[in-house]
Amino acid sequence: MSTPAERPSVLFVCVHNAGRSQMAAAYLTHLAGDRVQVRSAGSAPAGTVNPAVVEAMAEAGIDISAEVPKVLTVEAVQASDVVITMGCGDTCPVFPGKHYLDWELPDPAGQGVEAVRPIRDEIEKRIRGLIEEISPAE
């Protein structure tokens, strides 16, 4: 059993923190449990999480209806071991010593649930790979 200090910390960042980063954070929390510390944020957060994203995640058995988009802070980046960006480009701060990944994924903003499902499924696949990389099962 790992102690909290040994748990890898992952930050998911997109522009609005209303779609991709929320889905990724929810999947990582759902699949890795307390083995990984999870954060998400946006460089220009929306007022609410995308309703089609909430619906698509509910179909997968994960309730994110209570999530609220959060603003990206320098502190959140500094406190994370792995920073995964999703289309925020140059607005994401970069710090030496952090492991950065950029996941090119379609933006679900303004899309219906039919368009969100394939994005959700791709995120789940990438999250499963990420867990194997940063916190393999013992």
Side-chain angles (χ1 to χ4, degrees), residues 43-55:
S43 52
T48 59
V49 175
N50 179 332
V53 167
V54 172
E55 183 180 342

Side-chain angles (χ1 to χ4, degrees), residues 28-84:
L28 185 54
T29 300
H30 179 74
L31 297 170
D34 61 1
R35 294 187 354 229
V36 179
Q37 185 178 13
V38 182
R39 297 180 181 85
S40 73
S43 52
T48 59
V49 175
N50 179 332
V53 167
V54 172
E55 183 180 342
M57 291 303 287
E59 291 174 359
I62 301 173
D63 180 7
I64 63 168
S65 60
E67 293 298 325
V68 178
K70 295 167 280 307
V71 69
L72 176 64
T73 64
V74 169
E75 293 77 20
V77 177
Q78 289 174 324
S80 301
D81 300 312
V82 179
V83 179
I84 298 176

